[in-house]
Amino acid sequence: PLDHRPMRLRLLLSGGAAKRATSSLATKLPEVASAARFASRVDAALAAPAPAAADLATLAHDPERVRLVLRAAMATTHLHTQSRIAAYEGEGYYTIGPCGEELLASVALALRPTDPAALHYRHVGTLVARQLQRGATLERVLLDRARGHTISVNDPVTGGVHCSLGDDPQFDFLVTSTLASQGPQAVGRAVAIEHLPAAQRWPSDAISYVSCGDGSVNNSEWLSAVNAAELVAHRRRACPVLFCVSDNGLSISFKTGTWTASWAEQRLGMRVFAADGTSLPQL
């Protein structure tokens, strides 16, 4: 019912990746093996009974938006696998991947393409969905990201300086750091929205969005950003900022355990939402 575009992407992922992997012995890469298992799971899911009624109702409410998320999520998986193969063959130089974060593409549905956003370096799915929302073709999105992985001078984000997330400089801001330095800037944009002149950069009801991984909640810049937002709200001033933390229990090799949830419970005057990052209906 969601047509065959996601399926063609899946075939590109398994077939295209497998073809290159065979020629380069890259089949040893865990991402390549994972891609093959993923393709098998997709086939099994298509043959399985329909989802639960409640989940199906959620997904059927707006199939076009569901299709957008699936395309962005599968493109994200494909990009990660190909970046690892390119690195294995000496053609790519960036392998920090978004595996496990693909369904964060659905966050784009809660935002508008005109909301300013600064994304954690693994949240490629959100960026791809926002680019598709703004009318970019999937081919262009894939090619531009490939240019980033190969540190090409034709990379539209940094021009070959560093592989970073970013797109339209008015709406998707360049993020290079793993240290959550995007946090304070996002709060600054949120405070500035209501003070912008008539020819402003964003709509007057825009939301400033910023994301990080669970390890970054311990970083001083992220803590400063959250504290600043709480202080502004405490003074009854507008600060429309949405913080997103993806929590997989790991910060590189450091186990974060339940600390992220405990940290979120300490927020002052902020509403906190939690969802299973592997569940599209929840997200």
Side-chain angles (χ1 to χ4, degrees):
L2 296 176
D3 79 29
H4 294 290
R5 282 180 287 179
M7 184 54 61
R8 285 203 296 270
L9 249 181
R10 192 268 300 176
L11 292 174
L12 174 63
L13 167 65
S14 57
K19 183 177 181 181
R20 288 189 63 191
T22 301
S23 64
S24 65
L25 301 179
T27 50
K28 297 178 182 179
L29 291 172
E31 288 80 5
V32 174
S34 177
R37 291 195 300 271
F38 173 72
S40 297
R41 290 200 301 272
V42 170
D43 290 332
L46 291 173
D55 288 348
L56 190 59
T58 300
L59 298 175
H61 177 69
D62 195 337
E64 286 298 323
R65 285 157 66 90
V66 173
R67 183 180 296 116
L68 173 71
V69 171
L70 291 177
R71 294 188 78 204
M74 289 192 175
T76 300
T77 297
H78 174 63
L79 285 167
H80 175 62
T81 303
Q82 292 293 338
S83 72
R84 291 286 288 137
I85 294 174
Y88 187 86
E89 296 184 340
E91 299 175 3
Y93 308 96
Y94 191 84
T95 58
I96 299 177
C99 275
E101 315 274 1
E102 293 91 343
L103 284 182
L104 284 177
S106 59
V107 171
L109 304 184
L111 304 172
R112 290 174 299 191
T114 53
D115 286 326
L119 303 174
H120 178 57
Y121 60 97
R122 293 191 67 220
H123 296 171
V124 178
T126 305
L127 177 63
V128 171
R130 284 170 61 82
Q131 290 175 303
L132 295 177
Q133 284 179 317
R134 280 195 286 266
T137 65
L138 186 59
E139 288 76 12
R140 195 215 95 183
V141 172
L142 294 173
L143 180 58
D144 284 350
R145 193 63 187 160
R147 286 167 170 158
H149 289 154
T150 56
I151 320 298
S152 167
V153 294
N154 295 316
D155 174 17
V157 181
T158 70
V161 176
H162 187 277
C163 184
S164 305
L165 289 192
D167 189 43
D168 188 318
Q170 183 175 353
F171 305 115
D172 285 287
F173 289 83
L174 181 68
V175 176
T176 63
S177 174
T178 63
L179 302 179
S181 58
Q182 66 269 28
Q185 299 172 29
V187 174
R189 286 188 285 270
V191 173
I193 287 173
E194 71 171 355
H195 300 289
L196 292 174
Q200 57 190 4
R201 294 169 61 98
W202 312 295
S204 59
D205 60 349
I207 293 174
S208 179
Y209 177 77
V210 61
S211 64
C212 76
D214 48 328
S216 294
V217 301
N218 302 304
N219 185 274
S220 61
E221 297 217 40
W222 185 263
L223 294 172
S224 296
V226 173
N227 184 78
E230 291 176 334
L231 175 61
V232 173
H234 178 73
R235 293 188 174 184
R236 301 185 184 280
R237 300 293 298 275
C239 186
V241 60
L242 176 60
F243 296 97
C244 174
V245 181
S246 59
D247 180 11
N248 65 357
L250 290 172
S251 174
I252 306 180
S253 59
F254 175 73
K255 293 183 179 180
T256 57
T258 59
W259 171 248
T260 306
S262 298
W263 172 83
E265 293 173 358
Q266 301 172 30
R267 304 285 44 88
L268 301 174
M270 283 190 184
R271 297 180 64 188
V272 178
F273 302 89
D276 181 352
T278 65
S279 171
L280 178 55
Q282 281 195 34
L283 288 168

